[in-house]
């Protein structure tokens, strides 16, 4: 009798569930820009009290339980749109138009792929237009950059308690193409984004920590991914000039008309030329030329093709780093026993913006090509295939120690490499919906091959005559990663679990070494409502080592692991205030430390913990304010209490400002950057000075033109952009002195810009 009751009960339940499923309808749609006809990412779709976000292709899927419903589309910087849709709708195409920025329209939705940070990046990029790649990087909350050997080198990156060198702990990409250079002669993960023309950037995405399956090597502190525009809403010509013989010309030209855009076809070209001598006594003669072109075509209703190519070349004369004692008395140095002492005044002091060795110089070039085909298949399947190719050259003459190693010929080092990089990114994904839940399954494959020719680090004279090699040889390196990612969204909860399997192959000096790495990740979100979201992220990441060090071994880990966790909150306590905050922890199996002679030495195990806070508040329809505060405690785990510091690792940084946009076209902002002083060595007996800078931007923007004024370092603060401990010996000194060397920061610097739109 009991068995019959159970069967009867089950039958009733199945019939009931079937009726509910029958009454439901999966509504799908595509949100596009009304002018460029390009997809709009992270637009918020709200219907029947439920909110979701569009994906990178502007698509959305949402369950409709009634015969009809009112659907609302909102997006930062766009006019909201409302329409009535019913169960008879098959696939909606929703064009939206650009409008004023209103934080009230920001809705917190369960969306794993960087959505919480996308709100920050969209607001900042919309309110604070940029005209350099450096400006683009500084938009990331908590990310600081510095130059220490001329403007042509990749920036030194500081983020989340890391002196990340030139990209060792930050994964950087443009349109899916890696920017980081593995086994680069000037630093592992060298990420030079100077080829990126800022006016071509549509969005940028960033994430902190090693929690994202689609980002592999160098994703320890996090990742930074730029996306270029698929099409232009207008063409522009921009001319800029300023102090220190600074000049910039930029242009973006739309190649196809409105009719082509309506048919899903876009093409444009862009170019940029930069020149400056900088504030230095030795003119920098910094030159940079960049070109970029992109073509996109909608092939039928389910396929999209994107082709792009870019090239850039640059050359410069760096003023170089200056030991503190070269300009002032009473500076601190370290003796042979590690004890601090006061250095007497230099017999021939120089100006802060002077130079000690004028033979330093550099040049670099890069050519890129990218092809991508995105396909929406039936039954919610998505396929992406991308190929990319890069040809790259780099050459640098540098002398940071002067006569410390060779008191006769000097310590000039010559660095150079030429490389080809070829890669593939593939994605195969499916979204399954039932009731109030959805499961997104993604399988990806990444592979890249790097081949360098004549990677050289050598000792030369001041006349560039060869003395001896530090390293010389060709490098062949491959990294192939395959990873599976599952995301379950059910009601207010989102669960994501994934894992990467990476294969590495290093070849140098007829020796080959391979290694396999597995990196699991897990992310959990709880979205209480449109205003509150809690999240927990945890995972394992890694940064690979330079092939030269891998083959040489010497106790250095090939692929040291990083383990981290974030506990965070996205919160809108009032309609016009958005807050993101997180407590985080990160442990590294081995820190990389780069020395002056080109070696990588094992830096030991490290741990970091900290707090990140970002807030965006709209004070009025025309006035916005932002604040970022980042605290970190970086330490060596295997050191004694007084020797566990990490040199140059930031401990307290903050950025913020006020931005305004009036209806009459006047717009701009006042912003600040603050870096707290920090240890200069692992005993904290030397210090890197902190700084506080204020920048001002004013623009008058009309439909056909824009006039702008930018002032960097408005208060003319005396500051050091970069500092590092160096054992240097100046001409006439009998022995090296271990103390801080620095590169002075730019003083008051004004630039005027005129742009024409057509």
């Amino acid at each position: 009798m009991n068995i019959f009751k159970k069967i009867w009960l089950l039958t009733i339940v199945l019939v009931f569930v079937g009726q509910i499923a029958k009454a439901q309808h999966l509504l799908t749609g595509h949100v596009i820009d009304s002018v460029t006809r390009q997809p709009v990412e992270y637009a918020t779709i709200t219907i029947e009290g439920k909110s979701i976000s569009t994906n990178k292709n502007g698509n959305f899927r949402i369950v409709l339980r009634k015969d009809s419903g009112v659907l609302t589309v909102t997006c930062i910087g766009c006019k909201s749109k409302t329409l009535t849709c019913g169960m008879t709708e098959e696939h909606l195409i929703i064009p939206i138009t650009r409008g004023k920025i209103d934080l009230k329209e920001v809705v917190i939705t369960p969306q794993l792929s960087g959505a919480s940070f996308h709100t920050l990046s969209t607001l900042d990029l919309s309110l604070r237009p940029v005209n350099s790649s450096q400006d683009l990087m500084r938009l990331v909350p908590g990310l600081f950059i510095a130059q220490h050997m001329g403007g042509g080198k990749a920036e030194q990156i500081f983020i989340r308690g890391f002196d990340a060198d030139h990209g060792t702990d930050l994964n950087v990409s443009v349109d899916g193409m890696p920017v980081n250079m593995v086994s680069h002669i000037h630093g592992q993960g060298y990420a030079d984004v100077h080829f990126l023309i800022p006016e071509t950037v549509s969005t940028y995405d960033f994430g902190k920590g090693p929690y994202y399956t689609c980002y592999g090597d160098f994703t320890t502190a996090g990742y930074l991914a730029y996306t270029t525009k698929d099409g232009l809403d207008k063409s522009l010509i921009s001319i800029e000039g300023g102090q220190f013989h600074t000049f910039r010309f930029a242009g973006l030209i739309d190649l196809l008309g409105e009719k082509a855009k309506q048919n899903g076809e876009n093409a444009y070209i862009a170019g940029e030329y930069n020149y400056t001598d900088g504030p230095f006594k030795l003119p920098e003669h910094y030159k940079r030329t960049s070109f970029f072109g992109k073509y996109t075509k909608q092939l039928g209703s389910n396929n999209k093709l994107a082709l792009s190519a870019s090239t850039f070349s640059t050359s410069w004369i760096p003023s170089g780093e200056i030991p503190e004692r070269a300009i002032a008395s009473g500076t601190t140095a370290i003796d042979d026993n590690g004890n601090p002492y006061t250095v007497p005044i230099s017999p021939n002091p120089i100006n802060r913006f002077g130079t000690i060795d004028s033979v330093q110089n550099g040049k670099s070039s890069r050519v890129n090509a990218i092809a991508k085909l995105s396909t929406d298949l039936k039954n919610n399947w998505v396929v992406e295939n991308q190929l990319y190719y890069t040809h790259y050259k780099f050459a640098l003459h540098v002398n940071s120690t002067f006569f410390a190693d060779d008191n006769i010929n000097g310590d000039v080092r010559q660095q150079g490499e030429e490389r080809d990089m070829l890669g593939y990114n593939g994605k195969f994904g499916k979204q399954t919906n039932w009731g109030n839940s959805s499961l997104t399954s993604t399988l990806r494959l990444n592979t890249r091959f790097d081949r360098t020719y004549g990677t050289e680090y050598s000792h030369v004279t001041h006349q560039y005559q060869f003395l001896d090699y530090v390293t010389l040889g060709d490098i062949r390196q491959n990294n192939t990663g395959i990873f599976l990612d599952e995301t379950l969204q059910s009601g207010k909860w989102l669960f994501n679990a994934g894992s990467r399997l990476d294969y590495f192959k290093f070849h140098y000096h007829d020796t080959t070494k391979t290694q396999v790495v597995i990196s699991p990740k897990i992310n959990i979100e709880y979205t209480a409502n449109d205003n509150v979201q809690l999240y927990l992220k945890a995972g394992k990441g890694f940064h690979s080592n330079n092939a030269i060090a891998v083959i040489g071994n010497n106790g250095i880990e090939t692929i040291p692991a990083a383990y981290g966790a974030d506990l965070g909150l996205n919160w809108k306590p009032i309609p016009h205030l958005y807050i993101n905050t997180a407590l985080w922890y990160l442990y590294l199996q081995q820190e990389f430390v780069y020395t002056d002679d080109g070696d990588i030495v094992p830096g030991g195990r490290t741990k970091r913990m900290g707090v990140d806070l970002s807030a965006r508040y709209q004070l009025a329809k025309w006035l916005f304010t932002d604040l970022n505060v980042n605290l970190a405690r970086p330490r060596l785990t295997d050191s004694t209490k007084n020797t566990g510091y990490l040199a140059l690792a930031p401990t307290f940084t903050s950025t913020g400002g006020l931005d305004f946009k009036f209806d009459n076209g006047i717009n701009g902002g006042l912003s600040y950057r603050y870096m707290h002083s920090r240890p200069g060595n692992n005993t904290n007996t030397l210090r890197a000075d902190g700084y506080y800078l204020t920048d001002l931007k004013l623009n008058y923007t009309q439909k056909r033109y824009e006039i702008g004024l930018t002032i960097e370092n408005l208060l003319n603060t005396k500051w050091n952009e970069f500092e590092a401990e160096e054992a240097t010996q100046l001409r006439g000194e009998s022995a090296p002195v271990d103390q801080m060397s620095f590169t002075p920061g730019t003083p008051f610097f004004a630039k005027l810009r005129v742009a024409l739109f057509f």
Side-chain angles (χ1 to χ4, degrees), residues 133-134 137 145-156 165-166 184-187 190-195 284 286-288 312 314-318 321 360-364 392 394-398 400 415 721-722 743:
S133 56
Q134 291 92 334
M137 297 190 78
I145 58 175
Q147 278 286 356
H148 66 98
M149 198 55 65
K153 281 177 57 224
E155 272 71 29
Q156 194 88 5
D165 198 62
H166 298 288
H184 192 280
I185 192 60
H186 195 73
Y190 188 87
D192 186 353
V193 295
H194 291 123
F195 68 89
E284 192 174 354
Y286 173 67
K287 305 173 186 176
R288 185 174 81 240
F312 106 110
T314 183
S315 63
W316 71 98
I317 300 174
E321 300 167 13
Q360 302 176 97
N361 61 72
K363 59 182 179 179
S364 180
Y392 173 80
F394 175 85
L396 181 69
H397 289 97
V398 59
S400 299
Q415 298 178 340
E721 184 169 359
F722 178 81
T743 299

Side-chain angles (χ1 to χ4, degrees), residues 306-439:
L307 304 173
S308 66
S310 62
T311 179
F312 106 110
S313 62
T314 183
S315 63
W316 71 98
I317 300 174
S319 181
E321 300 167 13
I322 300 174
E324 290 179 341
R325 67 186 183 281
I327 63 166
S329 62
T331 58
T332 302
I334 300 297
D335 62 22
D336 293 338
N337 297 318
N339 299 315
Y341 71 98
T342 301
V343 180
I345 189 170
S346 170
N348 298 298
I350 66 171
N351 184 279
R352 275 176 51 82
F353 293 95
T355 187
I356 294 176
D357 193 337
S358 61
V359 304
Q360 302 176 97
N361 61 72
K363 59 182 179 179
S364 180
S365 64
R366 179 168 180 158
V367 177
N368 306 301
I370 305 174
K372 182 177 181 179
L373 179 64
S374 303
T375 304
D376 285 335
L377 302 175
K378 295 181 178 179
N379 300 319
N380 300 333
W381 287 98
V382 176
V383 177
E384 292 181 1
N385 291 283
Q386 182 186 55
L387 289 171
Y388 59 84
Y389 167 76
T390 291
H391 183 72
Y392 173 80
K393 292 182 180 180
F394 175 85
L396 181 69
H397 289 97
V398 59
N399 186 2
S400 299
T401 54
F402 311 114
F403 294 92
D405 295 330
D406 188 333
N407 58 14
I408 298 176
N409 297 301
D411 300 344
V412 180
R413 298 291 193 264
Q414 179 172 289
Q415 298 178 340
E417 71 164 58
E418 181 176 357
R419 81 166 62 206
D420 287 314
M421 178 179 71
L422 179 66
Y424 167 80
N425 295 322
K427 174 185 175 181
F428 194 58
K430 178 179 174 62
Q431 181 174 324
T432 304
N433 298 273
W434 64 92
N436 199 33
S437 303
S438 66
L439 178 67

Side-chain angles (χ1 to χ4, degrees), residues 691-727:
Y691 57 82
Y692 176 92
L693 300 175
T694 305
D695 300 328
L696 174 68
K697 290 188 178 183
L698 294 173
N699 299 296
Y700 181 64
T701 307
Q702 295 297 303
K703 184 177 181 180
R704 295 297 182 186
Y705 67 90
E706 181 178 74
I707 300 173
L709 172 67
T710 299
I711 300 178
E712 298 180 15
N713 196 359
L714 178 66
L715 304 179
N716 198 24
T717 301
K718 178 181 175 181
W719 66 294
N720 293 334
E721 184 169 359
F722 178 81
E723 292 184 73
E725 179 187 20
E726 300 277 8

Side-chain angles (χ1 to χ4, degrees), residues 120 141-142 208 579-582 611-616 627-631 653-655:
L120 299 174
K208 297 180 180 181
I579 296 173
N580 168 257
T581 187
V611 180
D612 290 341
L613 171 67
S614 293
R616 304 293 182 269
L627 173 68
N628 303 296
V629 178
N630 307 96
L631 303 173
T653 62
S654 180
T655 58

